[in-house]
Amino acid sequence: MFKHAQLESVKAWISHPSHAAMPLHARIQRAIRQLIVDGALGPGKPLPASRTLAKSLSVSRDTVEAAYAQLHAEGFIDRRVGSGTFVAEMMEFSPGQRLSRRDAVARNQPPKLSKRGAAIFRSGGVREMMVPQPFAHGVPEIRTFPLRLWERLERQVRKEASAPTLFHGDPQGTEPLRRAIADYVNLERGARATADRVLILTSSQQAMSLCANILLDPGDRIFIEDPAYYGARKAFDAAGLECLPVRVDRQGIVVDQIIAEQRKAKAVSLTPSHQFPTGATLSLDRRLALIDWASKHQAWIIEDDYDSEFHYAGKPTACMQGLDPHDRTVYIGTFTKSLFPGLRIGYVVLPPQLVKPMTVARTLLDGHSAPMPQLTLARFMEGGHFGAYVRTMRGIYAERRDVLVDLVQKHLSDFAEPRVPIGGLQMPCLLTGNLSERTAIDAGRRVGIELLGLSALYATSDTRAGFLMGFAAYTPTEIEHSVKKLVNAFRAVSKP
């Protein structure tokens, strides 16, 4: 028979909310099994008769019989005709197997990780908001996405491709999508791409992690912009690289600092078309100087072209990859911001010699990207829908940017000054009053507004206090409402 404490333990286990999805007999079986594993029920100890336990738990006898049958099948209990049910004699756990007080304490201690694992854990990872709230940065508008058109194209793919889309896909990506991407970046971004140089990935973050681990060794140096995208720095730190921050001005990364640097670096990571977070565009002379530097030093250029589709003043500058005759540039793109985050499709255009090594490396991470969304996206691009959608959203985003600029200048001028971007999905604002960055961010969060602080994006002490305000995912009405909430929050914490 169970002691009172053991019976109460079983009742608590089966009624716990986290176990609600399990069938009742499985919950009873798991609860008794845990008592055995923990040593609370030792070898040879009798268990209650199924009828008795069923009455104690207010369940049917069949439910308890099903739990006992599973425990017997797993070898935890013996059932003897005419004698009853007992914990199996072989269930003798050594002191080392039982959970000791020392084990219990150890469970609450930080895990012993590898150096790389510890670095990844310390970084905090890259977290995206499940349901973004104003003014979360880098979030596109998804409410206007032509979902019915997408679903129709998906049905066409499913009908025509049928069963093959259910198998493993090509680790490099489906050929139709690689071809569509090559055509797109050649036409719109001035790239030099072919389908066999494109590798489909889940995101630009995965691309940066691949570059960090495949192109460089732990301890190698890499130049990064200062300030820089936090996901890039975290990827490089996790790979054990030494990041050398390089100042950014109105013309982008200061290439002269790279050329003059005595410490040898094997790569540079940058966002030349729309620098994150300042919004600066790298000038042509600096692009050419950087390409020349990479060629002379046999270094790599990691070009993150994360939101170049959304440029609001003239045509965007051609990507660096298209200007590089030496094939030292890895070009990274993503559909997370141009279409919708849940698509999880990014890509890299690689130098020919890197295609096979990078493709093999990605098979160790996640094997391949799902064929169905790849083929649907390929059809979306081939039919001209992608270009039309981007053109439409470019106009919508430009309007929303202008609305945000006007509202910030009108309502937040006592606290912050906007830096109007020529492209992208967010606007940097520099704090001008006596409100600290931390106070501003916390005040916004208390009223349901999300701001990304600028100072955390700097590696050096030469920081600018401020925050990023995403505008793409929010209507003019939503932007106005949120700005007014934000100014009231700022005023509340700035009162003497």
Side-chain angles (χ1 to χ4, degrees):
M1 291 292 293
F2 281 164
K3 295 179 180 179
H4 176 73
Q6 294 167 346
L7 181 62
E8 290 303 310
S9 177
V10 173
K11 288 180 178 180
W13 210 98
I14 64 178
S15 63
H16 197 282
S18 65
H19 304 148
M22 298 171 58
L24 183 55
H25 75 274
R27 281 182 270 168
I28 295 171
Q29 179 255 335
R30 294 282 186 89
I32 297 174
R33 186 179 72 180
Q34 196 61 49
L35 289 174
I36 296 172
V37 170
D38 290 344
L41 290 174
K45 293 292 184 181
L47 271 65
S50 58
R51 191 186 304 276
T52 303
L53 183 57
K55 184 177 181 180
S56 299
L57 298 177
S58 300
V59 300
S60 72
R61 184 183 181 187
D62 287 345
T63 299
V64 174
E65 281 291 340
Y68 278 179
Q70 184 62 31
L71 286 166
H72 183 254
E74 293 178 357
F76 282 93
I77 64 174
D78 289 330
R79 309 200 73 180
R80 305 167 193 167
V81 178
S83 298
T85 303
F86 303 85
V87 177
E89 292 293 343
M90 63 180 293
M91 289 291 106
E92 179 65 58
F93 285 85
S94 69
Q97 290 175 297
R98 291 182 180 174
L99 184 64
S100 65
R101 185 183 299 273
R102 183 179 62 185
D103 294 329
V105 172
R107 280 186 175 182
N108 298 319
Q109 298 300 314
K112 183 66 175 178
L113 303 176
S114 67
K115 290 182 180 179
R116 184 182 295 109
I120 293 172
F121 183 60
R122 283 196 305 271
S123 76
V126 177
R127 300 180 181 180
E128 305 293 349
M129 299 181 67
M130 298 295 288
V131 181
Q133 55 193 21
F135 292 99
H137 71 283
V139 183
E141 174 63 86
I142 62 169
R143 290 169 290 189
T144 57
F145 183 76
L147 193 56
R148 289 186 179 179
L149 169 61
W150 183 271
E151 291 171 342
R152 176 164 60 82
L153 296 176
E154 189 174 51
R155 286 194 298 271
Q156 291 176 7
V157 169
R158 195 180 304 277
K159 182 178 180 180
E160 295 173 19
S162 190
T165 61
L166 306 180
F167 289 112
H168 288 286
D170 184 340
Q172 191 177 342
T174 63
E175 197 277 337
L177 180 56
R178 290 189 283 112
R179 184 177 62 246
I181 289 173
D183 291 343
Y184 170 74
V185 295
N186 289 343
L187 177 64
E188 297 293 337
R189 303 296 299 118
R192 295 184 303 111
T194 55
D196 59 352
R197 295 178 61 172
V198 176
L199 171 61
I200 306 299
L201 299 170
T202 59
S203 63
S204 56
Q205 189 66 41
Q206 186 183 39
M208 284 183 283
S209 293
L210 271 175
C211 289
N213 287 282
I214 304 304
L215 303 182
L216 298 99
D217 291 313
D220 283 347
R221 299 186 182 96
I222 181 171
F223 290 117
I224 63 169
E225 299 165 318
D226 193 38
Y229 172 55
Y230 52 87
R233 181 181 288 117
K234 288 181 177 184
F236 303 144
D237 285 343
L241 309 184
E242 181 184 352
C243 294
L244 302 179
V246 181
R247 186 169 58 87
V248 171
D249 62 20
R250 292 184 180 273
Q251 296 184 66
I253 193 169
V254 179
V255 178
D256 287 346
Q257 186 178 334
I258 293 175
I259 296 173
E261 177 61 60
Q262 296 297 311
R263 291 172 291 178
K264 185 177 180 181
K266 291 188 176 181
V268 57
S269 170
L270 70 165
T271 50
S273 296
H274 182 222
Q275 203 278 329
F276 187 93
T278 67
T281 298
L282 188 63
S283 62
L284 179 59
D285 60 330
R286 293 188 183 184
R287 291 173 185 242
L288 296 176
L290 198 54
I291 289 170
D292 183 62
W293 169 84
S295 175
K296 287 181 178 178
H297 295 272
Q298 290 296 284
W300 299 105
I301 298 171
I302 302 172
E303 177 181 13
D304 183 7
D305 207 24
Y306 63 101
D307 66 358
S308 63
E309 290 86 2
F310 303 115
H311 196 85
Y312 311 128
K315 284 191 69 66
T317 307
C319 67
M320 289 186 65
Q321 190 270 354
L323 299 173
D324 180 6
H326 313 292
D327 282 330
R328 304 301 304 177
T329 301
V330 175
Y331 176 87
I332 300 174
T334 179
F335 294 97
T336 294
K337 294 175 174 57
S338 55
L339 293 180
F340 54 94
L343 182 58
R344 304 316 299 155
I345 294 181
Y347 61 91
V348 285
V349 180
L350 295 164
Q353 68 272 29
L354 291 183
V355 173
K356 286 187 177 180
M358 286 286 200
T359 302
V360 169
R362 87 77 52 100
T363 66
L364 295 176
L365 299 178
D366 59 354
H368 64 92
S369 297
M372 180 62 72
Q374 289 187 68
L375 293 171
T376 305
L377 176 56
R379 191 157 296 200
F380 190 74
M381 298 179 76
E382 292 164 353
H385 307 299
F386 178 71
Y389 180 72
V390 166
R391 287 191 293 273
T392 298
M393 300 314 294
R394 190 180 294 139
I396 292 173
Y397 293 166
E399 177 192 3
R400 294 179 179 184
R401 176 203 62 174
D402 294 343
V403 168
L404 179 60
V405 171
D406 290 343
L407 288 168
V408 169
Q409 291 175 337
K410 180 179 179 181
H411 297 288
L412 288 172
S413 58
D414 290 341
F415 304 100
E417 176 185 339
R419 289 286 189 265
V420 184
I422 61 173
L425 309 181
Q426 57 272 326
M427 178 177 74
C429 293
L430 301 181
L431 287 168
T432 55
N434 57 8
L435 204 63
S436 73
E437 184 178 287
R438 185 71 263 164
T439 301
I441 292 171
D442 289 343
R445 194 162 289 164
R446 282 194 291 271
V447 294
I449 292 176
E450 191 70 24
L451 303 172
L452 176 67
L454 294 179
S455 62
L457 304 177
Y458 286 83
T460 63
S461 57
D462 185 21
T463 64
R464 297 297 302 271
F467 46 80
L468 279 182
M469 302 181 77
F471 53 79
Y474 319 107
T475 66
T477 301
E478 291 168 341
I479 291 173
E480 181 176 11
H481 176 69
S482 298
V483 167
K484 289 180 178 179
K485 283 176 63 178
L486 189 61
V487 70
N488 288 335
F490 284 2
R491 285 172 179 163
V493 295
S494 63
K495 288 181 180 179

